Amino acid sequence: MSRRGLFISLEGIDGCGKSSLKMELQEFLQPYLPVSIREPGSTVISEQIRQLLLDCRNDTIGDRTEAMLYASARCQLVDEIIRPALEAGRLIVADRYIDSTIAYQGYGRGIQLDFLYNLNQLCTGGIEPDLTLLLDLDPRTALVRRADGRPDRLEQEGLQFQTRVREGYLQIARTNPARVKVIDASQPQSLVKGRAIEYIKELMQERSWPE
Ligand code: TYD
């Protein structure tokens, strides 16, 4: 596949401020007409899988089943949206991607990382983001931030789980320093946004994008 587009993903624990950042980036990104997606979801099939995954009543979903459902939602998203958009030279901004599976199902649930990498390789054909912005935040701060909303199935897992997920993310960042940029999400929102834009501009310059 010739990859003419750019693929940026946003990652972090629940309540880290990803969704706010995505909204705040809209003004900067708008001229590039970004394809905005979220995981799990963004296709009809993937949104249905999302409902299954986040429904608190589904407390019998096994860990591997959970991992495979996230992977299935992603598989559909890659085929329907991500691959065609990259081939068409578009800019993709994704709220979560494979790193979420490694952090949540791998470090959080304790599933073998090899299994998860192989599964996701099958589902994505090896398509990786060009840049991942990791919003790093203490899970206790994140908990306070999202105290007003009704928690979904994953958010109910508690502090220890979120702490393992955070550690997982930081480990992913250490292993992939060129792709994954860590942003301190405890800073004021304007600084988080500023840092994110700097990283995106750097990437665009590096890739001479758009051509
Ligand atoms: P969502 O409401 O989109 O949370 P957020 O706004 O924090 O992104 O729900 C997605 C949930 O699914 C979130 O708790 C993280 C979890 N998740 C995984 O466990 N594995 C995955 O591969 C993905 C994509 C998400």
Side-chain angles (χ1 to χ4, degrees), residues 4-22:
R4 295 184 291 119
L6 270 196
F7 183 5
I8 298 170
S9 63
L10 309 178
E11 295 280 358
I13 62 168
D14 295 287
C16 67
K18 260 181 315 89
S19 307
S20 315
L21 174 63
K22 202 174 173 197

Side-chain angles (χ1 to χ4, degrees), residues 2-7 32-35 82-92 209-211:
S2 61
R3 280 197 55 169
R4 295 184 291 119
L6 270 196
F7 183 5
Y32 304 103
L33 302 176
V35 176
I82 296 179
R83 187 178 296 109
L86 287 177
E87 283 172 357
R90 302 286 300 272
L91 170 68
I92 300 177
W209 193 94
E211 286 162 353

Side-chain angles (χ1 to χ4, degrees), residues 137-157:
L137 190 64
D138 186 321
R140 281 167 302 191
T141 313
L143 191 66
V144 174
R145 281 193 188 174
R146 60 189 166 87
D148 44 349
R150 270 235 319 271
D152 63 38
R153 199 176 58 84
L154 273 285
E155 286 170 351
Q156 276 186 346
E157 286 296 330

Side-chain angles (χ1 to χ4, degrees), residues 10-19 38-41 50 53-54 66-67 69-71 73-74 95-106 109 120 146 152-156 161-162 165 169:
L10 309 178
E11 295 280 358
I13 62 168
D14 295 287
C16 67
K18 260 181 315 89
S19 307
R38 68 164 179 183
E39 276 215 36
R50 177 188 178 88
L53 278 164
L54 301 186
E66 179 181 281
L69 284 170
Y70 278 113
R74 181 167 302 131
D95 189 337
R96 301 190 179 282
Y97 192 60
I98 298 177
D99 295 324
S100 283
T101 293
I102 302 303
Y104 280 79
Q105 281 64 53
R109 300 274 193 227
N120 277 279
R146 60 189 166 87
D152 63 38
R153 199 176 58 84
L154 273 285
E155 286 170 351
Q156 276 186 346
F161 179 78
Q162 296 288 333
V165 173
Y169 271 129

Side-chain angles (χ1 to χ4, degrees), residues 96-146:
R96 301 190 179 282
Y97 192 60
I98 298 177
D99 295 324
S100 283
T101 293
I102 302 303
Y104 280 79
Q105 281 64 53
Y107 289 88
R109 300 274 193 227
I111 295 185
Q112 278 201 346
L113 299 187
D114 275 359
F115 168 79
L116 296 174
Y117 279 119
N118 291 335
L119 177 64
N120 277 279
Q121 173 70 27
L122 280 174
C123 293
T124 63
I127 295 180
E128 278 208 343
D130 299 291
L131 170 67
T132 297
L133 300 174
L134 170 56
L135 298 193
D136 180 51
L137 190 64
D138 186 321
R140 281 167 302 191
T141 313
L143 191 66
V144 174
R145 281 193 188 174
R146 60 189 166 87

